[in-house]
Amino acid sequence: MQWTLAVPLKPLARAKSRLADTADDGVRPGLALAFALDTVAAALACAAVHDVVVVTDDPLAGRELAALGARIVPDGPAADPATDPADGLNAALRHAAALARTARPYAPVATLNADLPALRPDELARVLGAAAAFPRAFLADAAGTGTTLLAAAPGRALRPAFGPGSRRGHRRSGAVELVLDDVDSVRQDVDTGDDLRAALCLGVGPRTAAAAARLLIPGQ
Ligand SMILES: Nc1nc2c(ncn2[C@@H]2O[C@H](COP(=O)(O)OP(=O)(O)OP(=O)(O)O)[C@@H](O)[C@H]2O)c(=O)[nH]1
Ligand SMILES: C=C(OP(=O)(O)O)C(=O)O
C-alpha cells in the first residue's frame, strides 16, 4: 500500500517559537526550513510513500520543498478559532487531505509533522505498515503528549485534532494508538532546545546538521 502524506508547515517567520531560547529570530526561520527539508526528503525516500503534499503559505519553503519533489498547496480557508483552538493547523490538514483524496481517491492518507529532522525512511515505512491495519491510527510524539503522525485508510476521514494534548484527543476520537519499538525518528519532533539535542543524538539530516552546527550547540 502506498501512502499520500500531508505535511503541514507554518510560515517560517512564525515557526518554532518555542526554540527562541536556542535559536534567535535571525536564524530560527532557516532552522525551521532545514527541519522541513530533511523531513520531506526522508519521507520521499520511503518505499511506502507515493507522494508528499506540503500544505504551507510560505513562498520560500514552498519553492525549496517543491524542488525536492513535494507538491505544494496553500493552507486554504481557516476554521472557526472558537470551535477549534488549533484552527490553522487542523483546517490546513483537512484541506490538504481533501486535495490528496481528489488526486488519489483510493489511497491511504497520513499527516506527518514537518519538524522531524531525524526521520528515517525505514522507520516511517514501519509506522505506515502498522497503521495500514486500522481505519484511523496515530503515533504519539517523543514527549508523550502530542502526535507526529495520523493515518486514515482509503475512504476514511482523517479528523485531525492536533494541538496541545493531541495524543489524548486522537485516542478519544477513536484512532488507534500505534505502539512500536525502534521508531524513535518518527516520534522525535523538535519543539524545544532539549528536543533538538535529542534529535541530534539520533542523527539528523544534512540540512539540519549544517544549520545546528551554526548554532554551536554544546555537546555537538
Ligand atoms: N500549514 C500550516 N501548518 C501549521 C500551522 N500551525 C502549525 N503548523 C505545522 O504543524 C506542525 C506542528 O506545529 P507546532 O509544533 O504547533 O508549531 P511550530 O511552528 O512547529 O512550533 P511553535 O511555534 O513552537 O508552536 C509543524 O510542522 C508546523 O509547521 C498552520 O497554521 N498552517
Ligand atoms: C501540534 C502538535 O505538535 P507539537 O507537539 O509540536 O505542538 C501536536 O502534537 O498536536
Side-chain angles (χ1 to χ4, degrees):
M1 188 144 66
Q2 277 221 307
W3 293 74
T4 292
L5 296 189
V7 177
L9 179 61
K10 243 189 211 175
L12 297 175
R14 291 197 283 115
K16 292 292 137 214
S17 54
R18 283 167 283 175
L19 270 176
D21 58 356
T22 303
D24 66 28
D25 293 357
V27 295
R28 220 164 47 251
L31 194 58
L33 177 58
F35 294 167
L37 288 167
D38 283 335
T39 302
V40 169
L44 286 165
C46 173
V49 172
H50 178 273
D51 61 328
V52 175
V53 178
V54 175
V55 54
T56 188
D57 284 339
D58 192 283
L60 170 66
R63 279 195 302 277
E64 296 220 7
L65 289 157
L68 288 183
R71 176 181 171 207
I72 310 300
V73 302
D75 270 28
D80 178 0
T83 55
D84 184 352
D87 162 42
L89 173 55
N90 290 313
L93 288 172
R94 283 191 294 271
H95 178 63
L99 291 176
R101 282 269 158 78
T102 307
R104 299 183 70 227
Y106 304 109
V109 174
T111 71
L112 183 71
N113 291 2
D115 56 1
L116 303 170
L119 185 66
R120 291 182 46 155
D122 57 330
E123 294 188 7
L124 177 59
R126 222 162 30 246
V127 174
L128 293 172
F134 305 103
R136 284 172 70 244
F138 72 97
L139 188 71
D141 67 5
T145 57
T147 305
T148 57
L149 179 145
L150 173 69
R156 299 289 180 146
L158 258 178
R159 296 167 53 210
F162 285 85
S166 66
R167 178 187 196 172
R168 182 180 302 171
H170 285 132
R171 223 189 252 153
R172 280 194 181 145
S173 77
V176 173
E177 180 166 356
L178 301 170
V179 180
L180 301 168
D181 291 331
D182 300 328
V183 294
D184 292 351
S185 80
V186 198
R187 299 187 64 207
Q188 188 59 67
D189 54 354
V190 175
D191 292 321
T192 65
D194 282 347
D195 294 334
L196 181 53
R197 279 180 276 276
L200 290 167
C201 286
L202 286 177
V204 294
R207 299 148 190 101
T208 303
R214 290 194 288 273
L215 295 177
L216 299 174
I217 291 182
Q220 265 197 96

